Each structure stands twice: as C-alpha cells, then as structure tokens.
Amino acid sequence: MTRLVVGPFNRVEGDLEVTLDVVEGVVAEARVTTPLYRGFEQMLVGRPSSDALVIAPRICGICSVSQSMAAVAALRAIGGVEPAENGVIAANVAHAAENIADHLTHFCLFFMPTSPGRPMPAVPGTRRLSSASRRPRAARRRSICRRARGSWR
Amino acid sequence: MAVLEEGGRGWFRALGAAGIDLIWHPSVSLETGEEVRDILAAVESGERPLDILCVEGAVLCGPDGTGRFNRLAGTGRTMMDWVRALAPRAGVTVAIGSCAAFGGIAAADPDPTDARGLQWRKSAAGGALGSGYRSRSGLPVINVAGCAPHPGWIMETLAALAAEEIGAGDLDAFGRPRFFADHLAHHGCSRNEFYEYKASAERPSDRGCLMEHLGCRATQAVGDCNQRSWNGGGSCTDAGYACVACTAPAFEDVTGFLATPKVAGIPVGLPSDMPKAWFVALAALSKSATPKRVRENARKDRITVPPGRSEGGK
C-alpha cells in the first residue's frame, strides 16, 4: 500500500487535504481533512447577541450573506420575534443575489478552467481509468485567461 | 475574493497592465498538488524570484506556538512555518485584509488559535514575523487592512509596488498605504447632512446618521470607503450598516458593535481629533437648528419630507 497526501489544491475556497491509500494502483481509501481550525463559536460567547451579525458573516468571504441569514434566523428564534414582511423580502433578495454571484464565481472561476478538455490531474502511483485527451499546457493557460476575462470583463 | 471585483476590466487584466505575473493563488491558478509544492520549493530555495508575497488570513500560531491550527495541505507544514520561510525571500510582503495585517476577526476574544497578523498582534508591533522584519526592499509588511478590503486598495497597492512607487513614507503608523488610510470612512458619507445636524437614526433602516445611537465608527475609522463604490455602488453606511472600523487593529474586540457606547448621553468614541466640549456644544447648536425635513427623515426608512420648492436659491 502506498499513502499519498494530496494538496495544496487549486480553485477551492477553503482549506482541504486528501489522503489516498493506494493498493495495486487503485485507490482503496480516500480521506478528506480540513487542516484549519478557527474557533468562531468561542468568539461569540459572552458578547451581545447582535454581535453575531458582525462576526458570523466573516466566517467566509464567499458566502457571507448566507452566514448572516443563519445568524439572523438564530437570533429571531431566541428572541421570538416576527420579522417585518418587507424585511424578509429585502434579506431574501440580498441572499438570492449572493447565491447567483456564488454560482457564477464557482462555475467561471473554479470549475470552467478544468473542464472541458482538461482531465483531472494525475495522482502519482495511480492508474488513470479514463482516457480524456490532454491539451498542451499553453493552450489550457490561454483558455483559462480568456474565460476568466470574459467572465469578469 | 474581494479583488475579483476590481475595476471594469477585471483583475486579470489589471495584473497584466501592472506587469505582474501571478505565480500562484489557490483560487485562480491551474497548478495543484505536487505542482504547487514544486513552485513553493523553488521560491523557498531562492531558485525562483519572489517580488511580492501576498498573505491572506491571520497566521494561527496556536496551539502552544506550534501553528498546527492551520497546516498548508499536502506539505505537512504549518502556514506559520511557510510564511516565515517565504517572507525573507520576498521583495515586498503584503498583508491582504485585517486578519493578515493585525489578526482581525480570527483573533477576537478569546483568540482561540493565537491568531496574529504578519507584523502586528492587534495594536502591538510583533506578529508572526516580528517587528524587526523587513522584506528585501527594506519595507515593513504593507497592510492592506479591511474586512473585506476594497478591491481597489488591493490592486492599487500591488500596481504601485510593481512600479516601485511605495516607500516607507507612503505608509501610516500601522503600515497601511496612505492613499486610502489618510481618509476617514466618514468622508463622503451619503448621510452627511444628518451627521451635520446630529439628526440620528434610532433603529436599523432609519435614514439618519448612525453615529449617535447605532454604533457607527466611520468618524474614527481610516479608509476612503465612501469615496469609492463597493460591488458596483454604495458602501456599508450607505446601505444602513454602521461602520465597525474594520480597517483598525483590534476592531474585533469591540463588544456591542451595533450600539454606540455613551457616558452621560455623550458618545464615547468621538472623532479622534475633535475636542469633546466642542462636540457637545456643536451638537446642541446643530440639533436646535435642524430643519424639519432632516429631523423627520432621520427617523424614517424612506424620505417622507422632500426638500421644499422654495429651497435651492430661487
């Protein structure tokens, strides 16, 4: 058995490590590790509850509004308050805008450069099961730049 | 992520225009796994030159100074170790965001991970690299503070560095580029008229000034936030959200962000260079002179009293 530790990964928002146990050229076991601990929950203890509205969104730079919405839902539940109807609509619109932006970011920035045409990077010591074509590296690079520029103007 | 919103032409073209060749960034680069480890090894050994080292996120030095709360995947080494290994190779080192600059939210009490900025630990010099650190150019760490920093602050700093147009005199006392740190977030605020008359918002979504009751620190926070547009338009205060002074070291240690601390009814956090007695006198005077329109609109979530027809010098 060979153990492979894969990382650092490109085009993920966050920290991720994959450990593969390879037996006779085939992955026998795959484990995912997040090699980052921050302890956000501890930071909120003892603060005014409304501080969650400042701290929670800063958990993530790409899903800040979702984190805020979760904090708001928790605060509402604790306080037993009914939100104003227009307030719910405004928050939902902001949340939807973030959701759209996230899909575009994920698709154009993280996903598109890998596909189509570029097979997943080879993991040393494993057999590739698909026979997807490989384009020359320079062509791939031009392609990512063009797509990225096209997407973000 | 913040810098992706840079300008009309986009970040990649802005980098190209500044003559910056991006070696690797986890979000946008094709290289992955072993290819990245090769790049890092080449830079660490000095084989591949490193002009600008950008660090995002606080350096987590815990537990017990090991840095193991944050390992760099696939390398078996901590980010603390990598930062200390690469920083001496860098022409200049740039902290992107308040976490990398000062520790930021990651260092909020009780600071579970011993989070530090590159060269500052909250307001104290030191941080992960130590106060004596200088990059090859002789500059201390350049702190593009903010949570999140404006994309323009990031890209303009990088472009100025590429053109060798930032010297020690272009940084403020906390290493922040003065082109944005010489301004206050308050400058250009769209709630300016309400501020002048101390016509204050009392509840979230009121149109009035957020300083007196709702915790706004824009009169003390550095940043040209209200002279730029964020995500295509507006700013925190424009959207009705009090400034939390995210460009300041230790901003995370405030408790009660969205309420103004007061002593005897007077806000504690007055504009830093304004004498308190003057503020009290001016506030009383301006409150007594507040036009009905301003006073009414300050406590509404929409304009209910428009400017009168006779106004405007007819």
Side-chain angles (χ1 to χ4, degrees), chain A residues 7-11 13 15-17 35-37 39 42-43 47-48 51 53-54 58 109-110 121 141 144 148 153, chain B residues 8-10 12 26-27 29-33 37 60 69-71 73-74 105 109-110 113 147 241 252 254 256-257:
Chain A
F9 283 99
N10 62 340
R11 290 174 291 114
E13 176 64 6
D15 288 58
L16 185 69
E17 183 177 85
L36 169 65
Y37 171 79
Q42 298 174 52
M43 298 170 196
R47 285 176 177 267
D51 281 4
L53 299 176
V54 173
R58 288 174 165 84
L109 204 66
F110 295 164
R141 181 170 294 283
I144 179 185
R153 269 178 296 144
Chain B
R9 62 186 167 178
F12 298 104
S27 293
S29 293
L30 277 178
E31 293 85 357
T32 194
R37 298 198 294 270
L60 309 186
F69 277 136
N70 189 13
R71 288 186 294 107
I105 284 283
D109 188 57
T113 56
C147 185
Y241 204 93
E252 66 279 0
V254 167
F257 284 103

Side-chain angles (χ1 to χ4, degrees), chain A residues 93-104:
Chain A
V93 167
H95 198 198
E98 178 184 81
N99 207 277
I100 292 166
D102 279 1
H103 276 77
L104 292 171

Side-chain angles (χ1 to χ4, degrees), chain A:
Chain A
M1 187 198 80
T2 319
R3 172 161 293 180
L4 300 166
V5 181
V6 190
F9 283 99
N10 62 340
R11 290 174 291 114
V12 289
E13 176 64 6
D15 288 58
L16 185 69
E17 183 177 85
V18 174
T19 306
L20 301 174
D21 289 345
V22 180
V23 180
E24 293 172 5
V26 174
V27 175
E29 192 170 320
R31 268 161 298 181
V32 174
T33 309
T34 54
L36 169 65
Y37 171 79
R38 293 183 297 174
F40 263 74
E41 298 81 358
Q42 298 174 52
M43 298 170 196
L44 290 168
V45 175
R47 285 176 177 267
S49 56
S50 66
D51 281 4
L53 299 176
V54 173
I55 293 180
R58 288 174 165 84
I59 288 172
C60 175
I62 201 167
C63 58
S64 317
V65 180
S66 302
Q67 306 290 347
S68 292
M69 294 288 279
V72 166
L75 291 173
R76 253 183 219 147
I78 295 167
V81 291
E82 278 292 311
E85 198 177 333
N86 277 349
V88 172
I89 292 170
N92 285 345
V93 167
H95 198 198
E98 178 184 81
N99 207 277
I100 292 166
D102 279 1
H103 276 77
L104 292 171
T105 305
H106 182 264
F107 188 76
C108 298
L109 204 66
F110 295 164
F111 176 74
M112 278 284 281
T114 314
S115 171
R118 193 190 196 217
M120 291 299 287
V123 176
T126 61
R127 278 186 284 125
R128 188 184 294 283
L129 295 177
S130 73
S131 58
S133 63
R134 284 184 76 88
R135 286 190 288 153
R137 187 169 194 84
R140 293 200 309 272
R141 181 170 294 283
R142 277 197 302 279
S143 161
I144 179 185
C145 289
R146 211 166 36 236
R147 287 191 194 112
R149 284 168 184 170
S151 309
W152 296 96
R153 269 178 296 144

Side-chain angles (χ1 to χ4, degrees), chain B residues 189-210:
Chain B
C189 178
S190 61
R191 292 164 193 259
N192 176 14
E193 190 182 35
F194 296 110
Y195 173 80
E196 286 170 7
Y197 287 110
K198 301 289 162 292
S200 299
E202 292 177 352
R203 308 172 310 165
S205 81
D206 281 355
R207 296 184 59 85
C209 176
L210 305 168

